[in-house]
Amino acid sequence: QQPVQSPQAVILREGEDAVINCSSSKALYSVHWYRQKHGEAPVFLMILLKGGEQKGHDKISASFNEKKQQSSLYLTASQLSYSGTYFCGTVSGSARQLTFGSGTQLTVLP
Amino acid sequence: DTAVSQTPKYLVTQMGNDKSIKCEQNLGHDTMYWYKQDSKKFLKIMFSYNNKELIINETVPNRFSPKSPDKAHLNLHINSLELGDSAVYFCASSQGTAWWLFFGEGSRLTVL
C-alpha cells in the first residue's frame, strides 16, 4: 500500500520555506525522500531509519515520527534548483520493499 | 562513469512487438530493480533481484520477464507490447534491499 503525500503541489518564491508530508498506514522500517526534475531520474535526498538514524544531504532536513508513521521534508530558503517532484518512499518492516507515494510537485519562482 | 546505465533511452514500437531494455550498474551493489513510471508520474516497482535471485515480483503481466545474468546486470524483456505499456522504465540499484536507490536515466517506451 503506497504512502500518502501532501500537498500534491506547491508554488513558492525563492527564499520561502516549504514542508512536504508523507504518511503510511503500516509500521515503517524507514522513509526515503527523492527529488525528480523534469525528464530526469529520481535522485536520493535522505533516508530516515526507525530508531532515529538519518543519512542525506546537508541542506535538507526531515523528520520521522515512528509512532504516527509520518515523515516531513523541510525545504528552507528555497532556491530555483529545488523545483521538481518530491517522492517519499516507505519500507515497511515485513515487506522490505520501497513503495513510493504519488509525489509532490514543487515549483520555485524567482 | 555512469553509475546505473540503461539502453536504449527511447523506444518507439508498434503494438504486438517484443522489446528489451538493458541495465548495468558499476556501483558493486547487490540488489537491482525495475520501476515503471506512468504518465501521472507514479513510480511502481515491478521486479527486484538480490544477488541474481528474484525477490520481488509485483503483479505484472507475464509478458514482462526480467533476467539477471549477474549482479551488475538486469534486463527487462516485454512480449506482445500493448498501448498501456507506454511509460518510462527505470532501473535502479542499492546495496541491500532496504537502502537508498540509485536510478538509471530511464527508458521511455512508446507503443503505437
Side-chain angles (χ1 to χ4, degrees):
Chain A
Q1 191 170 2
Q2 67 178 117
V4 177
Q5 281 186 241
S6 63
Q8 287 187 324
V10 58
I11 300 174
L12 55 156
R13 298 273 180 192
E14 261 188 303
E16 293 181 340
D17 302 337
V19 180
I20 301 172
N21 302 302
C22 176
S23 65
S24 173
S25 58
K26 294 185 174 183
L28 299 177
Y29 172 77
S30 63
V31 178
H32 299 219
W33 288 97
Y34 293 78
R35 176 171 61 211
Q36 185 179 28
K37 292 182 180 286
H38 183 70
E40 299 181 6
V43 174
F44 169 76
L45 296 176
M46 175 164 285
I47 183 171
L48 302 103
L49 299 170
K50 187 176 177 179
E53 187 179 359
Q54 297 184 12
K55 292 187 185 296
H57 292 260
D58 293 336
K59 294 188 178 182
I60 292 174
S61 64
S63 64
F64 179 20
N65 185 323
E66 295 175 31
K67 287 185 179 179
K68 293 186 177 180
Q69 311 305 331
Q70 293 174 346
S71 178
S72 294
L73 184 71
Y74 304 98
L75 302 164
T76 56
S78 296
Q79 304 172 17
L80 294 176
S81 62
Y82 286 11
S83 292
T85 302
Y86 288 76
F87 291 96
C88 77
T90 55
V91 178
S92 62
S94 56
R96 294 292 171 116
Q97 75 178 52
L98 184 61
T99 302
F100 285 99
S102 56
T104 296
Q105 188 166 345
L106 182 85
T107 304
V108 181
L109 301 174
Chain B
D1 278 347
T2 304
V4 182
S5 59
Q6 296 179 228
T7 54
K9 289 188 171 47
Y10 299 96
L11 302 95
V12 180
T13 189
Q14 301 285 333
M15 266 175 43
N17 285 348
D18 303 338
K19 287 294 177 186
S20 292
I21 307 172
K22 295 185 176 183
C23 178
E24 176 182 3
Q25 55 96 2
N26 62 7
L27 297 167
H29 288 166
D30 61 4
T31 308
M32 296 185 73
Y33 311 80
W34 280 112
Y35 278 86
K36 178 182 180 180
Q37 187 169 47
D38 60 23
S39 56
K40 295 185 179 179
K41 292 197 171 183
F42 178 49
L43 272 165
K44 180 173 168 52
I45 189 167
M46 301 174 68
F47 303 103
S48 174
Y49 274 77
N50 176 255
N51 286 314
K52 301 195 305 175
E53 182 184 345
L54 181 65
I55 57 170
I56 295 173
N57 184 357
E58 287 295 292
T59 309
V60 175
N62 291 337
R63 300 181 293 103
F64 290 80
S65 52
K67 187 171 281 188
S68 181
D70 55 57
K71 283 197 322 181
H73 296 83
L74 179 62
N75 304 323
L76 183 66
H77 187 75
I78 316 170
N79 290 323
S80 304
L81 279 157
E82 301 178 356
L83 294 176
D85 297 333
S86 294
V88 180
Y89 293 84
F90 285 101
C91 175
S93 72
S94 67
Q95 183 55 37
T97 57
W99 218 231
W100 63 84
L101 306 183
F102 286 81
F103 282 88
E105 292 180 328
S107 297
R108 180 176 292 277
L109 172 66
T110 303
V111 182
L112 304 175

PDB file of all heavy atoms in Angstrom, chain B residues 34-67:
ATOM      1  N   TRP B  34      13.468  -2.930 -11.273  1.00  0.00           N
ATOM      2  CA  TRP B  34      12.782  -2.253 -12.365  1.00  0.00           C
ATOM      3  C   TRP B  34      11.568  -1.545 -11.791  1.00  0.00           C
ATOM      4  O   TRP B  34      10.758  -2.149 -11.075  1.00  0.00           O
ATOM      5  CB  TRP B  34      12.325  -3.222 -13.460  1.00  0.00           C
ATOM      6  CG  TRP B  34      13.415  -3.614 -14.393  1.00  0.00           C
ATOM      7  CD1 TRP B  34      13.989  -4.836 -14.524  1.00  0.00           C
ATOM      8  CD2 TRP B  34      14.072  -2.780 -15.348  1.00  0.00           C
ATOM      9  NE1 TRP B  34      14.969  -4.813 -15.489  1.00  0.00           N
ATOM     10  CE2 TRP B  34      15.040  -3.553 -16.015  1.00  0.00           C
ATOM     11  CE3 TRP B  34      13.939  -1.425 -15.720  1.00  0.00           C
ATOM     12  CZ2 TRP B  34      15.873  -3.048 -17.015  1.00  0.00           C
ATOM     13  CZ3 TRP B  34      14.770  -0.926 -16.711  1.00  0.00           C
ATOM     14  CH2 TRP B  34      15.719  -1.730 -17.354  1.00  0.00           C
ATOM     15  N   TYR B  35      11.470  -0.237 -12.088  1.00  0.00           N
ATOM     16  CA  TYR B  35      10.300   0.560 -11.734  1.00  0.00           C
ATOM     17  C   TYR B  35       9.656   1.067 -13.025  1.00  0.00           C
ATOM     18  O   TYR B  35      10.342   1.376 -13.989  1.00  0.00           O
ATOM     19  CB  TYR B  35      10.690   1.771 -10.881  1.00  0.00           C
ATOM     20  CG  TYR B  35      10.867   1.480  -9.418  1.00  0.00           C
ATOM     21  CD1 TYR B  35      12.084   1.019  -8.914  1.00  0.00           C
ATOM     22  CD2 TYR B  35       9.822   1.681  -8.521  1.00  0.00           C
ATOM     23  CE1 TYR B  35      12.238   0.757  -7.560  1.00  0.00           C
ATOM     24  CE2 TYR B  35       9.972   1.422  -7.168  1.00  0.00           C
ATOM     25  CZ  TYR B  35      11.185   0.955  -6.699  1.00  0.00           C
ATOM     26  OH  TYR B  35      11.346   0.700  -5.362  1.00  0.00           O
ATOM     27  N   LYS B  36       8.334   1.194 -12.977  1.00  0.00           N
ATOM     28  CA  LYS B  36       7.597   1.769 -14.098  1.00  0.00           C
ATOM     29  C   LYS B  36       7.009   3.096 -13.643  1.00  0.00           C
ATOM     30  O   LYS B  36       6.380   3.163 -12.581  1.00  0.00           O
ATOM     31  CB  LYS B  36       6.473   0.822 -14.536  1.00  0.00           C
ATOM     32  CG  LYS B  36       5.606   1.353 -15.662  1.00  0.00           C
ATOM     33  CD  LYS B  36       4.486   0.374 -16.004  1.00  0.00           C
ATOM     34  CE  LYS B  36       3.606   0.896 -17.120  1.00  0.00           C
ATOM     35  NZ  LYS B  36       2.504  -0.042 -17.456  1.00  0.00           N
ATOM     36  N   GLN B  37       7.223   4.152 -14.437  1.00  0.00           N
ATOM     37  CA  GLN B  37       6.625   5.451 -14.131  1.00  0.00           C
ATOM     38  C   GLN B  37       5.643   5.804 -15.232  1.00  0.00           C
ATOM     39  O   GLN B  37       6.024   5.989 -16.394  1.00  0.00           O
ATOM     40  CB  GLN B  37       7.686   6.532 -13.992  1.00  0.00           C
ATOM     41  CG  GLN B  37       7.104   7.862 -13.513  1.00  0.00           C
ATOM     42  CD  GLN B  37       8.157   8.867 -13.123  1.00  0.00           C
ATOM     43  OE1 GLN B  37       9.128   9.089 -13.844  1.00  0.00           O
ATOM     44  NE2 GLN B  37       8.000   9.490 -11.962  1.00  0.00           N
ATOM     45  N   ASP B  38       4.386   5.927 -14.855  1.00  0.00           N
ATOM     46  CA  ASP B  38       3.359   6.206 -15.856  1.00  0.00           C
ATOM     47  C   ASP B  38       3.233   7.703 -16.105  1.00  0.00           C
ATOM     48  O   ASP B  38       3.999   8.508 -15.571  1.00  0.00           O
ATOM     49  CB  ASP B  38       2.020   5.598 -15.429  1.00  0.00           C
ATOM     50  CG  ASP B  38       1.517   6.135 -14.101  1.00  0.00           C
ATOM     51  OD1 ASP B  38       1.923   7.258 -13.710  1.00  0.00           O
ATOM     52  OD2 ASP B  38       0.743   5.441 -13.436  1.00  0.00           O
ATOM     53  N   SER B  39       2.238   8.068 -16.912  1.00  0.00           N
ATOM     54  CA  SER B  39       2.082   9.468 -17.321  1.00  0.00           C
ATOM     55  C   SER B  39       1.734  10.381 -16.145  1.00  0.00           C
ATOM     56  O   SER B  39       1.950  11.585 -16.198  1.00  0.00           O
ATOM     57  CB  SER B  39       1.009   9.591 -18.399  1.00  0.00           C
ATOM     58  OG  SER B  39      -0.203   9.042 -17.924  1.00  0.00           O
ATOM     59  N   LYS B  40       1.220   9.799 -15.062  1.00  0.00           N
ATOM     60  CA  LYS B  40       0.901  10.580 -13.872  1.00  0.00           C
ATOM     61  C   LYS B  40       2.067  10.612 -12.895  1.00  0.00           C
ATOM     62  O   LYS B  40       1.922  11.041 -11.758  1.00  0.00           O
ATOM     63  CB  LYS B  40      -0.350  10.019 -13.185  1.00  0.00           C
ATOM     64  CG  LYS B  40      -1.596  10.156 -14.027  1.00  0.00           C
ATOM     65  CD  LYS B  40      -2.833   9.708 -13.274  1.00  0.00           C
ATOM     66  CE  LYS B  40      -4.064   9.890 -14.135  1.00  0.00           C
ATOM     67  NZ  LYS B  40      -5.289   9.455 -13.450  1.00  0.00           N
ATOM     68  N   LYS B  41       3.203  10.103 -13.347  1.00  0.00           N
ATOM     69  CA  LYS B  41       4.457  10.115 -12.581  1.00  0.00           C
ATOM     70  C   LYS B  41       4.477   9.128 -11.417  1.00  0.00           C
ATOM     71  O   LYS B  41       5.388   9.183 -10.607  1.00  0.00           O
ATOM     72  CB  LYS B  41       4.779  11.525 -12.065  1.00  0.00           C
ATOM     73  CG  LYS B  41       5.128  12.503 -13.157  1.00  0.00           C
ATOM     74  CD  LYS B  41       5.836  13.715 -12.585  1.00  0.00           C
ATOM     75  CE  LYS B  41       6.374  14.584 -13.682  1.00  0.00           C
ATOM     76  NZ  LYS B  41       7.129  15.721 -13.166  1.00  0.00           N
ATOM     77  N   PHE B  42       3.507   8.236 -11.356  1.00  0.00           N
ATOM     78  CA  PHE B  42       3.511   7.269 -10.276  1.00  0.00           C
ATOM     79  C   PHE B  42       4.609   6.244 -10.519  1.00  0.00           C
ATOM     80  O   PHE B  42       4.661   5.629 -11.589  1.00  0.00           O
ATOM     81  CB  PHE B  42       2.143   6.600 -10.165  1.00  0.00           C
ATOM     82  CG  PHE B  42       2.060   5.550  -9.104  1.00  0.00           C
ATOM     83  CD1 PHE B  42       2.510   5.806  -7.815  1.00  0.00           C
ATOM     84  CD2 PHE B  42       1.533   4.304  -9.379  1.00  0.00           C
ATOM     85  CE1 PHE B  42       2.445   4.843  -6.835  1.00  0.00           C
ATOM     86  CE2 PHE B  42       1.460   3.333  -8.395  1.00  0.00           C
ATOM     87  CZ  PHE B  42       1.921   3.594  -7.116  1.00  0.00           C
ATOM     88  N   LEU B  43       5.486   6.056  -9.524  1.00  0.00           N
ATOM     89  CA  LEU B  43       6.600   5.107  -9.614  1.00  0.00           C
ATOM     90  C   LEU B  43       6.189   3.781  -8.975  1.00  0.00           C
ATOM     91  O   LEU B  43       6.015   3.706  -7.767  1.00  0.00           O
ATOM     92  CB  LEU B  43       7.815   5.647  -8.860  1.00  0.00           C
ATOM     93  CG  LEU B  43       8.781   6.540  -9.596  1.00  0.00           C
ATOM     94  CD1 LEU B  43       9.693   7.247  -8.608  1.00  0.00           C
ATOM     95  CD2 LEU B  43       9.611   5.752 -10.598  1.00  0.00           C
ATOM     96  N   LYS B  44       6.074   2.761  -9.801  1.00  0.00           N
ATOM     97  CA  LYS B  44       5.616   1.478  -9.277  1.00  0.00           C
ATOM     98  C   LYS B  44       6.690   0.417  -9.471  1.00  0.00           C
ATOM     99  O   LYS B  44       7.216   0.254 -10.576  1.00  0.00           O
ATOM    100  CB  LYS B  44       4.339   1.049 -10.002  1.00  0.00           C
ATOM    101  CG  LYS B  44       3.774  -0.294  -9.520  1.00  0.00           C
ATOM    102  CD  LYS B  44       2.442  -0.584 -10.152  1.00  0.00           C
ATOM    103  CE  LYS B  44       2.000  -2.023  -9.926  1.00  0.00           C
ATOM    104  NZ  LYS B  44       2.038  -2.418  -8.508  1.00  0.00           N
ATOM    105  N   ILE B  45       7.010  -0.288  -8.394  1.00  0.00           N
ATOM    106  CA  ILE B  45       8.018  -1.328  -8.502  1.00  0.00           C
ATOM    107  C   ILE B  45       7.455  -2.511  -9.279  1.00  0.00           C
ATOM    108  O   ILE B  45       6.287  -2.857  -9.152  1.00  0.00           O
ATOM    109  CB  ILE B  45       8.524  -1.789  -7.119  1.00  0.00           C
ATOM    110  CG1 ILE B  45       9.736  -2.718  -7.282  1.00  0.00           C
ATOM    111  CG2 ILE B  45       7.416  -2.448  -6.313  1.00  0.00           C
ATOM    112  CD1 ILE B  45      10.497  -2.970  -6.018  1.00  0.00           C
ATOM    113  N   MET B  46       8.310  -3.077 -10.131  1.00  0.00           N
ATOM    114  CA  MET B  46       7.898  -4.245 -10.904  1.00  0.00           C
ATOM    115  C   MET B  46       8.626  -5.489 -10.405  1.00  0.00           C
ATOM    116  O   MET B  46       8.020  -6.497 -10.087  1.00  0.00           O
ATOM    117  CB  MET B  46       8.215  -4.020 -12.377  1.00  0.00           C
ATOM    118  CG  MET B  46       7.539  -2.811 -12.988  1.00  0.00           C
ATOM    119  SD  MET B  46       8.098  -2.509 -14.669  1.00  0.00           S
ATOM    120  CE  MET B  46       7.408  -3.914 -15.527  1.00  0.00           C
ATOM    121  N   PHE B  47       9.943  -5.407 -10.394  1.00  0.00           N
ATOM    122  CA  PHE B  47      10.766  -6.558 -10.015  1.00  0.00           C
ATOM    123  C   PHE B  47      11.965  -6.088  -9.202  1.00  0.00           C
ATOM    124  O   PHE B  47      12.413  -4.957  -9.328  1.00  0.00           O
ATOM    125  CB  PHE B  47      11.306  -7.278 -11.267  1.00  0.00           C
ATOM    126  CG  PHE B  47      10.277  -7.754 -12.220  1.00  0.00           C
ATOM    127  CD1 PHE B  47      10.035  -7.059 -13.396  1.00  0.00           C
ATOM    128  CD2 PHE B  47       9.543  -8.898 -11.961  1.00  0.00           C
ATOM    129  CE1 PHE B  47       9.083  -7.487 -14.296  1.00  0.00           C
ATOM    130  CE2 PHE B  47       8.591  -9.347 -12.855  1.00  0.00           C
ATOM    131  CZ  PHE B  47       8.356  -8.639 -14.025  1.00  0.00           C
ATOM    132  N   SER B  48      12.494  -7.028  -8.403  1.00  0.00           N
ATOM    133  CA  SER B  48      13.730  -6.769  -7.692  1.00  0.00           C
ATOM    134  C   SER B  48      14.539  -8.059  -7.625  1.00  0.00           C
ATOM    135  O   SER B  48      13.983  -9.136  -7.393  1.00  0.00           O
ATOM    136  CB  SER B  48      13.446  -6.260  -6.282  1.00  0.00           C
ATOM    137  OG  SER B  48      14.657  -6.134  -5.559  1.00  0.00           O
ATOM    138  N   TYR B  49      15.833  -7.929  -7.855  1.00  0.00           N
ATOM    139  CA  TYR B  49      16.757  -9.055  -7.773  1.00  0.00           C
ATOM    140  C   TYR B  49      17.818  -8.741  -6.727  1.00  0.00           C
ATOM    141  O   TYR B  49      18.379  -7.656  -6.706  1.00  0.00           O
ATOM    142  CB  TYR B  49      17.459  -9.286  -9.116  1.00  0.00           C
ATOM    143  CG  TYR B  49      16.694 -10.146 -10.078  1.00  0.00           C
ATOM    144  CD1 TYR B  49      15.617  -9.627 -10.789  1.00  0.00           C
ATOM    145  CD2 TYR B  49      17.044 -11.474 -10.283  1.00  0.00           C
ATOM    146  CE1 TYR B  49      14.914 -10.414 -11.682  1.00  0.00           C
ATOM    147  CE2 TYR B  49      16.349 -12.268 -11.177  1.00  0.00           C
ATOM    148  CZ  TYR B  49      15.278 -11.730 -11.870  1.00  0.00           C
ATOM    149  OH  TYR B  49      14.585 -12.509 -12.750  1.00  0.00           O
ATOM    150  N   ASN B  50      18.089  -9.712  -5.881  1.00  0.00           N
ATOM    151  CA  ASN B  50      19.166  -9.604  -4.916  1.00  0.00           C
ATOM    152  C   ASN B  50      20.148 -10.741  -5.183  1.00  0.00           C
ATOM    153  O   ASN B  50      19.776 -11.917  -5.110  1.00  0.00           O
ATOM    154  CB  ASN B  50      18.622  -9.681  -3.487  1.00  0.00           C
ATOM    155  CG  ASN B  50      19.725  -9.660  -2.453  1.00  0.00           C
ATOM    156  OD1 ASN B  50      20.053 -10.684  -1.859  1.00  0.00           O
ATOM    157  ND2 ASN B  50      20.291  -8.498  -2.230  1.00  0.00           N
ATOM    158  N   ASN B  51      21.380 -10.386  -5.514  1.00  0.00           N
ATOM    159  CA  ASN B  51      22.378 -11.401  -5.864  1.00  0.00           C
ATOM    160  C   ASN B  51      21.840 -12.389  -6.909  1.00  0.00           C
ATOM    161  O   ASN B  51      21.943 -13.612  -6.748  1.00  0.00           O
ATOM    162  CB  ASN B  51      22.852 -12.166  -4.628  1.00  0.00           C
ATOM    163  CG  ASN B  51      23.766 -11.328  -3.775  1.00  0.00           C
ATOM    164  OD1 ASN B  51      24.679 -10.671  -4.275  1.00  0.00           O
ATOM    165  ND2 ASN B  51      23.514 -11.328  -2.476  1.00  0.00           N
ATOM    166  N   LYS B  52      21.257 -11.847  -7.935  1.00  0.00           N
ATOM    167  CA  LYS B  52      20.719 -12.596  -9.084  1.00  0.00           C
ATOM    168  C   LYS B  52      19.452 -13.380  -8.761  1.00  0.00           C
ATOM    169  O   LYS B  52      18.923 -14.087  -9.627  1.00  0.00           O
ATOM    170  CB  LYS B  52      21.760 -13.545  -9.685  1.00  0.00           C
ATOM    171  CG  LYS B  52      23.014 -12.898 -10.185  1.00  0.00           C
ATOM    172  CD  LYS B  52      23.826 -13.808 -11.079  1.00  0.00           C
ATOM    173  CE  LYS B  52      24.160 -15.132 -10.455  1.00  0.00           C
ATOM    174  NZ  LYS B  52      24.842 -16.059 -11.381  1.00  0.00           N
ATOM    175  N   GLU B  53      18.959 -13.300  -7.537  1.00  0.00           N
ATOM    176  CA  GLU B  53      17.749 -14.037  -7.175  1.00  0.00           C
ATOM    177  C   GLU B  53      16.550 -13.096  -7.160  1.00  0.00           C
ATOM    178  O   GLU B  53      16.598 -12.023  -6.552  1.00  0.00           O
ATOM    179  CB  GLU B  53      17.913 -14.669  -5.798  1.00  0.00           C
ATOM    180  CG  GLU B  53      16.715 -15.489  -5.357  1.00  0.00           C
ATOM    181  CD  GLU B  53      16.880 -16.023  -3.945  1.00  0.00           C
ATOM    182  OE1 GLU B  53      18.012 -15.996  -3.430  1.00  0.00           O
ATOM    183  OE2 GLU B  53      15.876 -16.464  -3.363  1.00  0.00           O
ATOM    184  N   LEU B  54      15.462 -13.498  -7.804  1.00  0.00           N
ATOM    185  CA  LEU B  54      14.252 -12.691  -7.836  1.00  0.00           C
ATOM    186  C   LEU B  54      13.628 -12.660  -6.454  1.00  0.00           C
ATOM    187  O   LEU B  54      13.290 -13.700  -5.885  1.00  0.00           O
ATOM    188  CB  LEU B  54      13.267 -13.298  -8.842  1.00  0.00           C
ATOM    189  CG  LEU B  54      11.947 -12.558  -9.030  1.00  0.00           C
ATOM    190  CD1 LEU B  54      12.184 -11.176  -9.646  1.00  0.00           C
ATOM    191  CD2 LEU B  54      10.986 -13.376  -9.888  1.00  0.00           C
ATOM    192  N   ILE B  55      13.482 -11.451  -5.880  1.00  0.00           N
ATOM    193  CA  ILE B  55      12.912 -11.343  -4.540  1.00  0.00           C
ATOM    194  C   ILE B  55      11.598 -10.567  -4.519  1.00  0.00           C
ATOM    195  O   ILE B  55      10.828 -10.695  -3.584  1.00  0.00           O
ATOM    196  CB  ILE B  55      13.907 -10.700  -3.542  1.00  0.00           C
ATOM    197  CG1 ILE B  55      14.364  -9.317  -4.032  1.00  0.00           C
ATOM    198  CG2 ILE B  55      15.084 -11.604  -3.296  1.00  0.00           C
ATOM    199  CD1 ILE B  55      15.135  -8.541  -2.996  1.00  0.00           C
ATOM    200  N   ILE B  56      11.367  -9.735  -5.494  1.00  0.00           N
ATOM    201  CA  ILE B  56      10.095  -9.020  -5.601  1.00  0.00           C
ATOM    202  C   ILE B  56       9.568  -9.213  -7.012  1.00  0.00           C
ATOM    203  O   ILE B  56      10.269  -8.969  -7.983  1.00  0.00           O
ATOM    204  CB  ILE B  56      10.250  -7.512  -5.308  1.00  0.00           C
ATOM    205  CG1 ILE B  56      10.664  -7.293  -3.862  1.00  0.00           C
ATOM    206  CG2 ILE B  56       8.944  -6.774  -5.609  1.00  0.00           C
ATOM    207  CD1 ILE B  56      10.997  -5.848  -3.551  1.00  0.00           C
ATOM    208  N   ASN B  57       8.335  -9.654  -7.081  1.00  0.00           N
ATOM    209  CA  ASN B  57       7.692  -9.834  -8.372  1.00  0.00           C
ATOM    210  C   ASN B  57       6.261  -9.351  -8.201  1.00  0.00           C
ATOM    211  O   ASN B  57       5.388 -10.111  -7.795  1.00  0.00           O
ATOM    212  CB  ASN B  57       7.751 -11.307  -8.786  1.00  0.00           C
ATOM    213  CG  ASN B  57       7.183 -11.537 -10.181  1.00  0.00           C
ATOM    214  OD1 ASN B  57       6.694 -10.609 -10.822  1.00  0.00           O
ATOM    215  ND2 ASN B  57       7.240 -12.760 -10.649  1.00  0.00           N
ATOM    216  N   GLU B  58       6.067  -8.061  -8.442  1.00  0.00           N
ATOM    217  CA  GLU B  58       4.758  -7.472  -8.236  1.00  0.00           C
ATOM    218  C   GLU B  58       3.774  -7.976  -9.289  1.00  0.00           C
ATOM    219  O   GLU B  58       4.158  -8.700 -10.217  1.00  0.00           O
ATOM    220  CB  GLU B  58       4.857  -5.949  -8.286  1.00  0.00           C
ATOM    221  CG  GLU B  58       5.521  -5.360  -7.061  1.00  0.00           C
ATOM    222  CD  GLU B  58       4.718  -5.597  -5.804  1.00  0.00           C
ATOM    223  OE1 GLU B  58       3.622  -5.028  -5.674  1.00  0.00           O
ATOM    224  OE2 GLU B  58       5.182  -6.379  -4.950  1.00  0.00           O
ATOM    225  N   THR B  59       2.537  -7.582  -9.136  1.00  0.00           N
ATOM    226  CA  THR B  59       1.503  -8.017 -10.074  1.00  0.00           C
ATOM    227  C   THR B  59       1.752  -7.361 -11.423  1.00  0.00           C
ATOM    228  O   THR B  59       1.284  -6.259 -11.690  1.00  0.00           O
ATOM    229  CB  THR B  59       0.106  -7.636  -9.546  1.00  0.00           C
ATOM    230  OG1 THR B  59      -0.016  -8.105  -8.214  1.00  0.00           O
ATOM    231  CG2 THR B  59      -0.963  -8.265 -10.420  1.00  0.00           C
ATOM    232  N   VAL B  60       2.524  -8.048 -12.210  1.00  0.00           N
ATOM    233  CA  VAL B  60       2.913  -7.558 -13.526  1.00  0.00           C
ATOM    234  C   VAL B  60       2.525  -8.631 -14.536  1.00  0.00           C
ATOM    235  O   VAL B  60       2.688  -9.822 -14.254  1.00  0.00           O
ATOM    236  CB  VAL B  60       4.443  -7.312 -13.565  1.00  0.00           C
ATOM    237  CG1 VAL B  60       4.898  -6.927 -14.954  1.00  0.00           C
ATOM    238  CG2 VAL B  60       4.843  -6.252 -12.556  1.00  0.00           C
ATOM    239  N   PRO B  61       1.989  -8.250 -15.693  1.00  0.00           N
ATOM    240  CA  PRO B  61       1.624  -9.263 -16.690  1.00  0.00           C
ATOM    241  C   PRO B  61       2.791 -10.176 -17.036  1.00  0.00           C
ATOM    242  O   PRO B  61       3.954  -9.770 -17.020  1.00  0.00           O
ATOM    243  CB  PRO B  61       1.210  -8.421 -17.904  1.00  0.00           C
ATOM    244  CG  PRO B  61       0.793  -7.108 -17.331  1.00  0.00           C
ATOM    245  CD  PRO B  61       1.654  -6.894 -16.131  1.00  0.00           C
ATOM    246  N   ASN B  62       2.472 -11.413 -17.356  1.00  0.00           N
ATOM    247  CA  ASN B  62       3.502 -12.388 -17.714  1.00  0.00           C
ATOM    248  C   ASN B  62       4.295 -11.993 -18.948  1.00  0.00           C
ATOM    249  O   ASN B  62       5.342 -12.591 -19.230  1.00  0.00           O
ATOM    250  CB  ASN B  62       2.865 -13.762 -17.953  1.00  0.00           C
ATOM    251  CG  ASN B  62       2.345 -14.375 -16.679  1.00  0.00           C
ATOM    252  OD1 ASN B  62       2.797 -14.030 -15.599  1.00  0.00           O
ATOM    253  ND2 ASN B  62       1.383 -15.273 -16.808  1.00  0.00           N
ATOM    254  N   ARG B  63       3.797 -11.024 -19.666  1.00  0.00           N
ATOM    255  CA  ARG B  63       4.513 -10.547 -20.858  1.00  0.00           C
ATOM    256  C   ARG B  63       5.838  -9.887 -20.486  1.00  0.00           C
ATOM    257  O   ARG B  63       6.713  -9.710 -21.327  1.00  0.00           O
ATOM    258  CB  ARG B  63       3.649  -9.539 -21.618  1.00  0.00           C
ATOM    259  CG  ARG B  63       2.314 -10.104 -22.094  1.00  0.00           C
ATOM    260  CD  ARG B  63       1.516  -9.071 -22.864  1.00  0.00           C
ATOM    261  NE  ARG B  63       1.062  -7.973 -22.040  1.00  0.00           N
ATOM    262  CZ  ARG B  63       1.622  -6.766 -22.035  1.00  0.00           C
ATOM    263  NH1 ARG B  63       2.658  -6.503 -22.819  1.00  0.00           N
ATOM    264  NH2 ARG B  63       1.144  -5.818 -21.255  1.00  0.00           N
ATOM    265  N   PHE B  64       5.958  -9.484 -19.222  1.00  0.00           N
ATOM    266  CA  PHE B  64       7.192  -8.867 -18.746  1.00  0.00           C
ATOM    267  C   PHE B  64       8.064  -9.939 -18.095  1.00  0.00           C
ATOM    268  O   PHE B  64       7.620 -10.619 -17.173  1.00  0.00           O
ATOM    269  CB  PHE B  64       6.878  -7.778 -17.706  1.00  0.00           C
ATOM    270  CG  PHE B  64       6.217  -6.575 -18.278  1.00  0.00           C
ATOM    271  CD1 PHE B  64       4.856  -6.576 -18.550  1.00  0.00           C
ATOM    272  CD2 PHE B  64       6.947  -5.426 -18.560  1.00  0.00           C
ATOM    273  CE1 PHE B  64       4.232  -5.452 -19.095  1.00  0.00           C
ATOM    274  CE2 PHE B  64       6.334  -4.304 -19.085  1.00  0.00           C
ATOM    275  CZ  PHE B  64       4.976  -4.316 -19.355  1.00  0.00           C
ATOM    276  N   SER B  65       9.280 -10.069 -18.576  1.00  0.00           N
ATOM    277  CA  SER B  65      10.169 -11.071 -17.981  1.00  0.00           C
ATOM    278  C   SER B  65      11.537 -10.450 -17.724  1.00  0.00           C
ATOM    279  O   SER B  65      12.231 -10.029 -18.651  1.00  0.00           O
ATOM    280  CB  SER B  65      10.284 -12.302 -18.878  1.00  0.00           C
ATOM    281  OG  SER B  65      10.636 -11.931 -20.191  1.00  0.00           O
ATOM    282  N   PRO B  66      11.918 -10.396 -16.447  1.00  0.00           N
ATOM    283  CA  PRO B  66      13.244  -9.884 -16.103  1.00  0.00           C
ATOM    284  C   PRO B  66      14.267 -11.011 -16.183  1.00  0.00           C
ATOM    285  O   PRO B  66      13.922 -12.186 -16.086  1.00  0.00           O
ATOM    286  CB  PRO B  66      13.059  -9.419 -14.666  1.00  0.00           C
ATOM    287  CG  PRO B  66      12.029 -10.350 -14.116  1.00  0.00           C
ATOM    288  CD  PRO B  66      11.125 -10.738 -15.265  1.00  0.00           C
ATOM    289  N   LYS B  67      15.513 -10.600 -16.330  1.00  0.00           N
ATOM    290  CA  LYS B  67      16.590 -11.588 -16.303  1.00  0.00           C
ATOM    291  C   LYS B  67      17.847 -10.922 -15.768  1.00  0.00           C
ATOM    292  O   LYS B  67      18.206  -9.834 -16.219  1.00  0.00           O
ATOM    293  CB  LYS B  67      16.853 -12.140 -17.705  1.00  0.00           C
ATOM    294  CG  LYS B  67      17.855 -13.293 -17.720  1.00  0.00           C
ATOM    295  CD  LYS B  67      17.932 -13.960 -19.075  1.00  0.00           C
ATOM    296  CE  LYS B  67      16.770 -14.890 -19.279  1.00  0.00           C
ATOM    297  NZ  LYS B  67      16.922 -15.713 -20.516  1.00  0.00           N
TER     298      LYS B  67
END
